[in-house]
Amino acid sequence: MRNRDSFSIELKLYLIAIFLMWVCVDKSCCVPLNYLKSSALVDKSTDGFFPRISPERAPQPLIPLLAPSPLTPFTNYTVPKLSGLCPLNFTGAESVMSVTSTDCLALLAPYLANVVCCPQLEATLVILIGQSSKDTGALALNMTLAKHCLSDFEQLLVSQGANQNLQQICRIQSSNLTEGSCPVKDVLEFETTVNSSSLMTACGKIDVVNECCTQVCGNAISEAAEKIASKADDLKSNPNRIQDCRHIVLRWLTSRLEASSAKEVLRGLSNCNVNKVCPLAFPDTRNVTKECGNGIRNQTACCNAMQSYVTHLQNQSFTTNLQALNCAASLGMKLQSENVTKNIYNLCHVGLKQFSLQAGTQESGCLLQSLPSDVIFDQFSGITFLCDLNDNIAAPWPSANQLPTSSCNKTAVKVPELPAAASSQNGLYFQAFKYYSLFALPAILMILH
């Protein structure tokens, strides 16, 4: 009986998706992507599916009828007005640009920023400069060109449905496209200073599962960055110089790889930093400590306060399973410092999923996989991304002086690299989730209001 009911729900959702396809055909709401081949175009607004978002207010819930068209990879609601002064080859990196615009979709970008959108955005900028260096011989732009290129870059992404506030969301500035304080930006000078063959051996392809622990590529990049940084004329040490030179090394590396391969390497490297931290901001814990501190007098009141607090955290961002472990540890240590001595995670049944944004009608949050992932957009299932929905892991209460969770040390809590739902192609929920994904976004975003 349960299987029959589930099939009925899945069939209804599929029929609604078919109806939306007909609506899009009837409205003829899509425009071609050939503007990428032109450097200066006139602004032209079209009837788009993505609502415009003002940076002064929170995103509004996405209405199902405003879902992206299932008939084309992107629904373009504006044609970008480009400067015509940027030397970067956007057409050559079109596939990576497409992934970026999907990863940073207008309504989802603030909630996928730290895990998906911003790492992909930063990787794309590195690839664009690296690929263009094959023609220009330079691994950096001057400030004037950097301003034009960053503006054009954002215009192109927004025209494909990306959030129009990406510079603020990801804290990207024009200076990020220059050499900064690094003394080397010329390709020939770089290759005469660095052992390029050794660098390619270490970083031409990385093991995304083990790189964060072995640091094979990471160490090679650091070594190359230190070498070119040592060529600086001034004797004063600049705290940003090594980091600026790392950017130069990464750009050179991407110039020797195909764009798709470069993207995998860069996302794998950035993922090491992504999983090290907790991206959530912890508000005042006064109500929790009042009910749960100095010995728990009323368990119900304590757990109500704790659940209310965790619900607020769920409004902030999607997190990976490893990030959720770090968030649980950070919050636990914060509460312990405020005289909450008992394991209230266990007492109040707080799980790792509760440290991530809710997905649809799930009672707890959607944990993203700890490995790099992207938002998927296709003509049948709309917008999807993989959630760790089947692994119910209790949030561990931290022991004294506990260090943040590392992807190299999972002895305390076993966390899968990939979501269990992704490994079960015949799972009823996973199959239904594909059709449901088009309508899950309104449910996700309605929770935020």
Side-chain angles (χ1 to χ4, degrees), residues 138-417:
L139 294 165
L141 303 176
N142 63 45
M143 185 57 75
T144 301
L145 290 178
K147 289 178 181 178
H148 290 304
C149 288
L150 186 57
S151 174
D152 289 354
F153 176 68
E154 190 169 39
Q155 285 269 329
L156 286 167
L157 293 180
V158 170
S159 73
Q160 297 181 38
N163 192 292
Q164 60 185 345
N165 238 6
L166 291 178
Q167 289 190 46
Q168 288 72 35
I169 291 172
C170 297
R171 299 178 183 178
I172 297 292
Q173 300 176 343
S174 302
S175 57
N176 296 131
L177 282 66
T178 69
E179 72 274 19
S181 59
C182 187
V184 175
K185 66 175 182 178
D186 181 77
V187 172
L188 291 178
E189 185 179 4
F190 179 92
E191 292 177 348
T192 57
T193 307
V194 171
N195 186 340
S196 55
S197 61
S198 176
L199 182 59
M200 281 301 300
T201 300
C203 298
K205 186 176 182 180
I206 67 170
D207 181 346
V208 292
V209 174
N210 296 313
E211 170 61 27
C212 299
C213 305
T214 60
Q215 294 285 302
V216 172
C217 178
N219 289 336
I221 290 171
S222 295
E223 182 181 345
E226 289 171 4
K227 274 192 175 181
I228 60 176
S230 66
K231 299 195 72 174
D233 293 330
D234 59 311
L235 299 177
K236 287 185 179 180
S237 61
N238 188 318
N240 298 320
R241 181 166 292 140
I242 296 296
Q243 186 59 34
D244 290 340
C245 287
R246 282 180 64 88
H247 294 155
I248 296 294
V249 175
L250 291 174
R251 292 169 193 168
W252 179 88
L253 182 62
T254 61
S255 73
R256 294 299 180 267
L257 300 171
E258 293 294 327
S260 58
S261 299
K263 178 243 182 189
E264 297 303 318
V265 170
L266 294 175
R267 288 291 301 278
L269 291 171
S270 67
N271 204 56
C272 299
N273 294 324
V274 165
N275 284 315
K276 282 180 182 177
V277 298
C278 170
L280 304 180
F282 297 117
D284 191 351
T285 55
R286 189 179 310 165
N287 289 339
V288 178
T289 54
K290 176 184 175 183
E291 300 296 342
C292 306
N294 300 314
I296 299 173
R297 294 180 294 277
N298 185 325
Q299 180 177 332
T300 301
C302 170
C303 289
N304 286 341
M306 186 61 194
Q307 291 297 340
S308 175
Y309 187 89
V310 172
T311 298
H312 176 82
L313 294 181
Q314 283 186 307
N315 293 345
Q316 295 185 35
S317 172
F318 287 104
T319 61
T320 69
N321 41 31
L322 287 175
Q323 284 181 328
L325 281 170
N326 286 323
C327 291
S330 297
L331 178 58
M333 288 187 285
K334 179 178 173 64
L335 292 173
Q336 287 175 355
S337 70
E338 297 170 354
N339 296 322
V340 178
T341 56
K342 289 196 175 181
N343 182 351
I344 59 174
Y345 290 168
N346 183 56
L347 185 70
C348 303
H349 307 291
V350 176
L352 286 183
K353 291 179 185 177
Q354 291 175 274
F355 290 89
S356 188
L357 202 68
Q358 270 185 263
T361 57
Q362 294 296 310
E363 292 181 1
S364 53
C366 159
L367 286 175
L368 302 180
Q369 61 188 30
S370 58
L371 295 179
S373 62
D374 295 299
V375 176
I376 302 168
F377 191 111
D378 66 51
Q379 58 183 343
F380 299 109
S381 52
I383 301 167
T384 61
F385 46 88
L386 296 176
C387 290
D388 204 347
L389 295 173
N390 293 340
D391 295 288
N392 295 306
I393 302 172
W397 187 250
S399 57
N401 301 319
Q402 179 174 331
L403 295 174
T405 303
S406 166
S407 58
C408 305
N409 180 17
K410 302 178 197 171
T411 55
V413 180
K414 183 174 177 58
V415 178
E417 295 290 353

Side-chain angles (χ1 to χ4, degrees), residues 100-143:
T100 307
S101 60
T102 308
D103 283 350
C104 298
L105 281 170
L107 293 177
L108 281 178
Y111 310 109
L112 288 170
N114 77 88
V115 180
V116 179
C117 172
C118 295
Q120 176 63 23
L121 184 78
E122 292 163 4
T124 305
L125 284 171
V126 171
I127 291 168
L128 282 168
I129 299 174
Q131 294 287 320
S132 295
S133 72
K134 291 185 285 189
D135 299 319
T136 64
L139 294 165
L141 303 176
N142 63 45
M143 185 57 75

